[in-house]
Amino acid sequence: MTKHVGVLVDAGLVTRRKVGRTVVCRIRPEAFGEVQEWLGDLTTYWNGTVDRLEELLRGGGDGT
């Protein structure tokens, strides 16, 4: 679990601080806007790529 939280901390999605013997983790909601934007760009790219592949496989593409 610690490694997974560490990855989220490294990505800037979560903060972590120690309070006594307890480690408190908090989600950074503002960071998820950046993630959502990045995923939106990827989704647009892959949808276009898959659409072109589908057209090519159906015989409607020019092969480029």
Side-chain angles (χ1 to χ4, degrees), residues 47-61:
N47 282 342
T49 300
V50 170
D51 289 346
R52 286 190 300 279
L53 176 61
E54 181 179 22
E55 184 178 333
L56 179 64
L57 293 174
R58 291 178 187 253

Side-chain angles (χ1 to χ4, degrees), residues 5-55:
V5 172
V7 170
L8 294 173
V9 170
D10 290 345
L13 299 174
V14 171
T15 61
R16 176 175 49 193
R17 67 183 171 93
K18 194 167 186 179
V19 179
R21 295 187 318 185
T22 304
V23 177
V24 178
C25 299
R26 291 192 177 224
I27 293 175
R28 293 186 56 241
E30 66 276 8
F32 283 89
E34 297 171 24
V35 172
Q36 188 172 18
E37 183 179 326
W38 178 73
L39 286 174
D41 292 343
L42 279 178
T43 300
T44 300
Y45 168 78
W46 282 110
N47 282 342
T49 300
V50 170
D51 289 346
R52 286 190 300 279
L53 176 61
E54 181 179 22
E55 184 178 333

